[in-house]
Amino acid sequence: MPSQRLAARDLAQVAIFAALIAALGLPGTLYVGSSAVPVTFQTLGVMLTGAILGARKGFLAVLLFDVLVAAGLPLLAGGRGGITWLTTAPTAGYPYGWLLGVTVIGFLTKKILPRYPLAPALAITALGGMIAVYAIGAPYTYLVLSLNSVPGDDKSLWVVIAGLGWFIVGDAVKVVVTVLVAKQVHRAYPGLIRKPTIGAVRV
């Protein structure tokens, strides 16, 4: 049935982009300066997921990735996996930030299709892929570092601020790459982000 084929295609896309986020963790991590959170390519995967799949499927792809990490699969950059990396690690807030970021990117990207003009696309991707992710990830990092700091020697706020400074440069490049790739994808495969067909099985 058409609705079943639609659901199968959506599920396949969700799985493929969850795998893409995992694959972008293979190059590993890079700790810069005093940052407690490493620079990785996986945020690029999250941005691409939202910009290409939209909010609904993008959220499911990131959620699937997070669930697999929680189950113990070493899918985070540097071969990290397990519930600790989603609870007590300084980086634990970022996978949750990805859920918000991919939803923001996907929801707003749908508003500018099918044209996908570059300037609005850049602003949307930066809003979701940077600001929304930082809004959850950075406070969580500060909280974890503060709880583990020596009384009277709390430098966690400086560590978080310094880390964000390094992230902004790299993530800005990822925003540009995402928009250039997504524009070509939407041109070649229009309809990837669409309103659900009446009577279709929703995923």
Side-chain angles (χ1 to χ4, degrees):
M1 295 176 62
S3 62
Q4 293 175 332
R5 287 197 298 271
L6 176 61
R9 184 181 69 176
D10 287 353
L11 287 171
Q13 291 171 355
V14 167
I16 288 170
F17 275 80
L20 171 66
I21 297 171
L24 286 172
L26 292 178
T29 60
L30 174 64
Y31 285 90
V32 182
S34 59
S35 176
V37 180
V39 176
T40 78
F41 286 107
Q42 289 186 304
T43 308
L44 172 62
V46 174
M47 294 181 190
L48 286 168
T49 300
I52 293 174
L53 293 189
R56 181 173 60 104
K57 292 183 290 185
F59 181 90
L60 290 174
V62 176
L63 180 63
L64 173 60
F65 176 85
D66 286 354
V67 168
L68 293 175
V69 169
L73 273 66
L75 301 181
L76 288 170
R80 299 168 297 157
I83 195 64
T84 298
W85 295 103
L86 296 176
T87 53
T88 59
T91 57
Y94 284 91
Y96 301 114
W98 292 349
L99 290 169
L100 176 60
V102 75
T103 302
V104 170
I105 294 171
F107 177 79
L108 295 178
T109 295
K110 184 177 179 180
K111 304 293 185 182
I112 61 172
L113 290 174
R115 291 183 60 247
Y116 198 72
L118 290 180
L122 287 168
I124 287 168
T125 307
L127 176 63
M130 296 175 66
I131 296 175
V133 173
Y134 298 163
I136 295 179
Y140 202 103
T141 299
Y142 174 70
L143 176 63
V144 172
L145 293 179
S146 295
L147 292 175
N148 294 314
S149 65
V150 177
D153 188 31
D154 184 3
K155 298 179 181 177
S156 54
L157 181 59
W158 163 247
V159 171
V160 172
I161 293 174
L164 286 180
W166 291 108
F167 285 160
I168 289 172
V169 177
D171 285 348
V173 174
K174 296 173 193 174
V175 167
V176 174
V177 172
T178 295
V179 169
L180 294 178
V181 171
K183 188 171 183 65
Q184 296 305 314
V185 171
H186 288 304
R187 179 179 296 172
Y189 302 99
L192 284 173
I193 301 177
R194 66 194 184 286
K195 293 181 180 179
T197 303
I198 297 176
V201 177
R202 302 187 68 177
V203 296

